[in-house]
Amino acid sequence: MEERKHTSSHYEKELQEIKNDLIYLGALTEKAIQLAMDSLTQRNSDFARKVMAEDDEIDKRDAQLEEKCIRILALRQPTAIDLRFITTAIKITGHLERIGDMAVNIAEKAIELNQLPRLKPYVDLPRMASLVNEMIRNSLDAFINENLELTQKVHEHEQVVDDLNEQIFRELLTFMLDDSKTIQRAIFIMQISKNLERIADHSKGIADMVIYMITGKSVRHQELSIS
Amino acid sequence: MDANIIIKLKNVNFYYGENRALTDITMNYRKNKVTALIGPSGCGKSTLLRLLNRMNDLIDGTRVEGEILYEDKNIYSPDLDPVEIRRKIGMVFQKPNPFPKTIYNNIAYGPKLNRVGSANLDELVEQSLKQAVLWDEVKDILNQSAMNLSGGQQQRLCIARALAMKPDILLMDEPTSALDPISTAKIEELVEELKKVYTIIIVTHNMQQAARISDETAFFYLGNLIEYNKTEKIFTKPDVKQTEDYITGRFG
């Protein structure tokens, strides 16, 4: 069905601005993850330092976006789809800010690992990173285009990322059992893997909010049966 | 009729001359609930409100089809007295319209005329003013003219005047549109209190007001009932796109 525009063109513009800002913030976090992972795989700590320096920009944009949403809540008193859109946007920006922090965590571990001999070729970690970036992209595309199918994809990928995280954990455990000198490096790699797994959780959080925005039904914490 | 339902509309059509203002309206109003009627100007919401206590009878050339059941009787059946219906189904209008009489007589006039609670008129006046949360402000000036009260006080006086007739239902036609925000808040709080005893049906153009004070909301457009649901549902996830377009301001 064709989406009608608001009678107030200013209001329409404000809502569009929120969408644009979220797309931009999403792109910044994707770039941060990619750069942190490049720092690890290419053993270039300058990339990692760039991620850490640019996190301030993500934090600043998160704060600005939240402020814009609160302003709309106060001044426009949105209802129905607009209310669900704004509450979803507030949640999404929070998730993206946390994803930015996790990219910083990965960057910090990458700097540590780059100073030590390589423990093993990185195969699964880049795969995880690529999957979580796709999850972020899909969850935001789902938000912008109100697309439920994409949220389903995010859910499916989250399971794959969880499995990869467990697989990496098991593999590194064997390294550590065989040779205690690998423990420090193995723990750093595990922490990177864990951060990627948490990013996947945040992307799923975004997708769940998008489902709420589209359907009006909350799918978060379903085990608690919150009405 | 379900014990929780106080008024039942069945296939109601209403005409001003040849023009149909309401089309095939079927809906129930629940006891001790606040129902908000919303929709753009000319959608028929005030016409519907006035149908519920036969106020439209006073307009020439109007015609009603269908049934409006109150206490299992069609209020338009010829053997029912419209005055008695208006006593049981009171009305508060957009602009406060106190009589040019004292505060006391504004309340006492109707009951005296209709011999409602005439055993103790003083008590009835006090009780009605208390119910309308006006007593403390006017108890010492009951013999002064009602015209000296502020707009908000006059509107609460009109509510007290309606309550003095011991109605079951209170119809409110944009009761706060002429009031400042503080007076509006007082009336809204009053509605919350009154619904414990009365059933309230309110027409409002203020979407936030409908969301704040009503339990159920009905959206009308061009004389049709588009959606009728719990207020929370209407304002968070309405079922009909047209309702969503209206309440989010994507209309016209």
Side-chain angles (χ1 to χ4, degrees):
Chain A
M1 192 180 294
E2 191 201 341
E3 192 57 49
R4 296 181 73 153
K5 287 202 186 311
H6 272 279
T7 314
S8 161
S9 58
H10 291 285
Y11 189 12
E12 190 71 38
K13 203 174 139 212
E14 285 166 15
L15 292 175
Q16 189 55 48
E17 243 180 65
I18 301 275
K19 276 188 187 176
N20 296 343
D21 289 356
L22 275 172
I23 295 170
Y24 191 77
L25 189 56
L28 285 182
T29 57
E30 265 186 66
K31 186 182 147 203
I33 296 165
Q34 194 52 55
L35 212 52
M37 290 306 296
D38 286 349
S39 165
L40 182 73
T41 53
Q42 297 173 29
R43 294 179 75 78
N44 182 340
S45 293
D46 285 345
F47 291 163
R49 280 185 277 275
K50 197 161 187 275
V51 172
M52 288 150 78
E54 286 179 357
D55 187 50
D56 284 352
E57 178 67 11
I58 293 178
D59 290 349
K60 196 177 89 189
R61 284 182 174 269
D62 162 54
Q64 285 171 343
L65 237 163
E66 194 179 276
E67 209 175 294
K68 278 184 190 174
C69 290
I70 290 170
R71 189 175 171 277
I72 288 180
L73 282 174
L75 302 185
R76 303 288 187 185
Q77 298 164 355
T79 52
I81 180 62
D82 296 337
L83 178 65
R84 301 197 310 278
F85 172 83
I86 290 295
T87 47
T88 300
I90 290 177
K91 286 271 193 180
I92 291 179
T93 183
H95 280 300
L96 291 176
E97 190 273 332
R98 291 293 297 133
I99 290 174
D101 289 346
M102 278 155 197
V104 170
N105 291 345
I106 294 171
E108 285 169 353
K109 301 300 169 246
I111 291 173
E112 300 278 2
L113 279 166
N114 290 346
Q115 291 164 16
L116 301 168
R118 196 192 284 259
L119 179 62
K120 64 184 271 302
Y122 301 118
V123 179
D124 288 330
L125 279 181
R127 211 179 137 209
M128 271 178 97
S130 156
L131 275 171
V132 299
N133 265 344
E134 197 179 330
M135 287 173 76
I136 296 171
R137 220 166 21 251
N138 279 340
S139 59
L140 288 177
D141 282 350
F143 172 69
I144 300 301
N145 302 315
E146 299 186 18
N147 184 330
L148 276 176
E149 273 173 38
L150 286 176
T151 64
Q152 190 53 43
K153 264 193 182 172
V154 175
H155 277 228
E156 286 162 13
H157 281 167
E158 197 242 0
Q159 192 52 55
V160 178
V161 172
D162 276 355
D163 293 345
L164 279 171
N165 180 44
E166 273 179 34
Q167 185 182 307
I168 288 170
F169 181 83
R170 278 196 303 273
E171 188 190 1
L172 291 171
L173 208 58
T174 59
F175 274 92
M176 290 191 285
L177 288 170
D178 282 350
D179 178 3
S180 62
K181 287 194 201 93
T182 63
I183 289 176
Q184 190 188 20
R185 283 169 289 166
I187 286 175
F188 285 146
I189 296 171
M190 273 183 193
Q191 286 172 331
I192 290 176
S193 173
K194 184 68 193 164
N195 272 288
L196 289 171
E197 188 266 334
R198 291 288 297 124
I199 292 173
D201 283 349
H202 280 287
S203 306
K204 181 174 170 283
I206 294 174
D208 287 349
M209 280 308 295
V210 173
I211 293 171
Y212 162 73
M213 182 184 81
I214 299 169
T215 66
K217 288 183 188 126
S218 175
V219 293
R220 298 181 312 138
H221 314 305
Q222 277 185 325
E223 70 283 3
L224 298 177
S225 307
I226 300 167
S227 61
Chain B
M1 194 149 70
D2 181 336
N4 290 320
I5 293 166
I6 193 159
I7 290 194
K8 202 178 181 94
L9 273 71
K10 281 187 190 169
N11 307 106
V12 172
N13 289 281
F14 182 76
Y15 301 83
Y16 289 107
E18 291 303 308
N19 292 332
R20 182 149 74 170
L22 289 170
T23 305
D24 207 24
I25 308 291
T26 295
M27 67 191 300
N28 299 327
Y29 295 100
R30 294 200 295 141
K31 249 183 210 170
N32 299 111
K33 299 283 176 201
V34 179
T35 303
L37 311 183
I38 63 169
S41 299
C43 71
K45 56 192 187 300
S46 290
T47 299
L48 180 68
L49 195 75
R50 289 196 303 268
L51 266 183
L52 301 180
N53 71 345
R54 294 188 58 170
M55 290 291 277
N56 288 329
D57 289 11
L58 309 171
I59 304 169
D60 287 340
T62 59
R63 184 162 55 92
V64 189
E65 289 172 0
E67 283 187 325
I68 299 178
L69 300 174
Y70 164 60
E71 291 179 337
D72 283 333
K73 286 181 192 145
N74 186 359
I75 64 168
Y76 281 86
S77 73
D79 57 324
L80 284 185
D81 176 8
V83 176
E84 182 58 18
I85 288 165
R86 287 178 204 135
R87 190 184 74 70
K88 300 287 275 180
I89 306 175
M91 192 156 195
V92 177
F93 298 88
Q94 194 172 353
K95 282 186 186 155
N97 54 353
F99 304 137
K101 293 175 179 292
T102 64
I103 293 167
Y104 183 97
N105 279 329
N106 258 275
I107 309 292
Y109 186 73
K112 244 195 286 186
L113 212 64
N114 291 282
R115 297 191 175 81
V116 177
S118 54
N120 195 336
L121 218 44
D122 290 353
E123 211 171 81
L124 182 66
V125 169
E126 180 175 339
Q127 189 194 17
S128 305
L129 286 168
K130 275 183 175 166
Q131 275 188 304
V133 199
L134 189 60
W135 174 251
D136 287 342
E137 292 163 59
V138 301
K139 64 184 176 195
D140 299 323
I141 52 167
L142 290 175
N143 290 319
Q144 288 186 17
S145 167
M147 308 312 279
N148 294 337
L149 296 174
S150 72
Q153 286 172 324
Q154 285 185 5
Q155 192 63 306
R156 277 179 287 149
L157 181 70
C158 293
I159 293 172
R161 190 173 68 189
L163 298 180
M165 298 299 287
K166 305 276 182 195
D168 286 336
I169 301 167
L170 211 50
L171 308 176
M172 296 179 145
D173 194 358
E174 297 185 56
T176 62
S177 64
L179 303 182
D180 66 76
I182 302 289
S183 303
T184 298
K186 282 184 180 168
I187 300 276
E188 287 182 4
E189 183 149 338
L190 178 58
V191 168
E192 285 280 317
E193 280 303 306
L194 291 176
K195 77 171 186 186
K196 291 173 188 162
V197 183
Y198 307 96
T199 301
I200 295 169
I201 303 167
I202 182 168
V203 163
T204 180
H205 273 295
N206 182 334
M207 223 65 74
Q208 270 69 39
Q209 180 171 70
R212 279 193 298 267
I213 66 172
S214 69
D215 301 294
E216 275 149 16
T217 297
F219 169 58
F220 292 85
Y221 185 57
L222 296 176
N224 294 289
L225 175 61
I226 305 295
E227 187 169 356
Y228 182 31
N229 218 325
K230 287 192 185 310
T231 297
E232 193 184 319
K233 169 91 175 134
I234 293 273
F235 284 91
T236 54
K237 182 76 176 75
D239 287 333
V240 183
K241 181 81 171 57
Q242 227 172 345
T243 313
E244 183 146 271
D245 283 346
Y246 179 69
I247 63 169
T248 57
R250 292 179 172 88
F251 219 77

